[in-house]
Amino acid sequence: MNRREAISQLSVLTAALASTQDSFSMTNRSNYQIGACDWSLHLNCNPEAFNYAKKIGLEGVQVSYNSKTDLNYLSRPENRQAILAASKRTGVKIASLAIGMLNEVPLKSEAKTVEWVSESIDAAKALGTNVILLAFFGKGDLRKDDAGKKVVTERLKQLAPKAEKQGIILGIESYLSAEEHIEIIEAVGSSNLQVYYDPRNSADAGYDIYKEIPMLGKRKLICEIHLKDNEFLLGQGTMDWPRIKGLLDESGYKGWAQIEWSQPKGKSVDETYPQNVSYAKKIFG
């Protein structure tokens, strides 16, 4: 083989290797559906969230189960029907539900919240979605609260059988570490209890998200994710979203990516969300 033939063969091998790598990358890359939280659109417990979501190019809406002014919003059939009608009319999906009021009326200390979660399972089933975010911030924060974690664990044990029967995933979103989330999930003993992962929250709490995502991902414990960078537009803050996306892909994650906030001070939803949607679709869509 002369020098020219050797170079030609090397070029062919290099091209073949590059093609194989590209094929592998495409095979392992997932396109997520992009939604947004209704509270971030300032339309919580409001069917109008679906009209706005369609306007800015979203595929789904994460719907609040209740609000300060209506603690049992989705428990009432007429409200479920209004949400279903809005989804059907616009073609925007009901991505998941969320009980953000647990930040103010905590599961760890208020018995009535058990009824909220139980009724939200019925609502999720009726609305054709299968993930419910359970929030643990503000008054519901579980950090350095062993007694609170114990109560939450026992209450989730009560709720898990119903979630399992209905095919609904309960997702814990909190400032706890991945290890602490796993401890609660193992104590409850249900595959229908998972983690609602928000990389920004975890980074703010001081955890290494690039270790946490693989840790939770290999156990298939991430039910859904939030995309936010606090007071920065997506892609303009400190979060390395392409790297996060790569780690999620490696774990086999295929769920929703829900935009939450990422709204600079003084800027309206109209000014910020079209940009956030565009960036989210570029990286995650």
Side-chain angles (χ1 to χ4, degrees):
M1 181 184 295
N2 60 35
R3 183 172 182 272
R4 179 177 294 178
E5 291 173 333
I7 292 173
S8 177
Q9 186 170 345
L10 179 60
S11 297
V12 170
L13 289 171
T14 301
L17 178 59
S19 177
T20 300
Q21 290 174 333
D22 288 344
S23 176
F24 179 81
S25 177
M26 291 300 292
T27 299
N28 285 272
R29 189 184 190 281
S30 295
N31 293 325
Y32 307 161
Q33 296 183 90
I34 308 298
C37 315
D38 65 0
W39 58 92
S40 294
L41 302 177
H42 301 288
L43 292 167
N44 56 315
C45 296
N46 188 337
E48 285 298 314
F50 288 83
N51 295 329
Y52 191 76
K54 181 178 181 180
K55 175 183 174 182
I56 61 175
L58 290 167
E59 297 167 276
V61 173
Q62 183 171 37
V63 179
S64 296
Y65 165 77
N66 59 5
S67 68
K68 289 182 180 180
T69 58
D70 193 341
L71 295 177
N72 299 100
Y73 177 75
L74 282 182
S75 290
R76 298 197 297 281
E78 64 271 22
N79 292 330
R80 296 180 192 173
Q81 287 303 314
I83 293 294
L84 281 169
S87 175
K88 183 177 180 179
R89 182 182 67 252
T90 60
V92 175
K93 297 177 182 179
I94 303 167
S96 56
L97 304 186
I99 313 181
M101 280 300 296
L102 293 175
N103 294 330
E104 299 186 39
V105 186
L107 184 62
K108 68 180 181 180
S109 58
E110 300 289 341
K112 65 181 177 182
T113 57
V114 175
E115 183 178 351
W116 288 0
V117 178
S118 178
E119 291 183 351
S120 75
I121 294 171
D122 294 327
K125 185 69 174 180
L127 292 171
T129 191
N130 69 339
V131 170
I132 302 170
L133 183 163
L134 307 181
F136 293 92
F137 304 101
K139 295 178 182 177
D141 196 344
L142 295 174
R143 288 176 296 181
K144 299 179 180 180
D145 185 357
D146 290 340
K149 284 192 283 188
K150 183 176 181 180
V151 172
V152 166
T153 299
E154 291 306 311
R155 288 180 171 171
L156 290 174
K157 283 181 180 179
Q158 297 173 36
L159 292 159
K162 181 175 182 178
E164 291 169 1
K165 184 177 180 179
Q166 301 275 42
I168 305 299
I169 303 296
L170 303 177
I172 304 171
E173 186 186 14
S174 78
Y175 281 133
L176 295 178
S177 67
E179 291 90 345
E180 290 173 304
H181 280 126
I182 291 170
E183 286 176 4
I184 291 175
I185 291 168
E186 290 181 345
V188 173
S190 173
S191 60
N192 286 61
L193 180 63
Q194 297 180 18
V195 178
Y196 198 109
Y197 200 72
D198 186 318
R200 179 72 267 172
N201 288 343
S202 295
D204 288 344
Y207 310 126
D208 185 340
I209 63 174
Y210 306 113
K211 292 182 179 178
E212 287 205 326
I213 292 172
M215 182 187 303
L216 294 169
K218 73 179 182 180
R219 294 173 171 82
K220 307 301 179 186
L221 291 179
I222 299 177
C223 62
E224 204 164 276
I225 62 168
H226 273 161
L227 307 180
K228 74 160 177 273
D229 213 344
N230 296 338
E231 295 177 358
F232 293 94
L233 292 172
L234 289 178
Q236 296 184 17
T238 60
M239 303 300 291
D240 188 343
W241 293 112
R243 184 179 178 187
I244 290 168
K245 173 62 162 58
L247 290 173
L248 288 165
D249 283 350
E250 288 175 12
S251 76
Y253 179 76
K254 299 182 184 299
W256 282 85
Q258 308 280 8
I259 303 171
E260 184 185 31
W261 304 124
S262 282
Q263 190 173 340
K265 285 185 178 179
K267 298 292 185 180
S268 68
V269 172
D270 284 337
E271 292 174 295
T272 57
Y273 262 70
Q275 295 178 71
N276 284 332
V277 173
S278 177
Y279 181 82
K281 286 188 173 183
K282 177 182 176 182
I283 304 301
F284 292 89

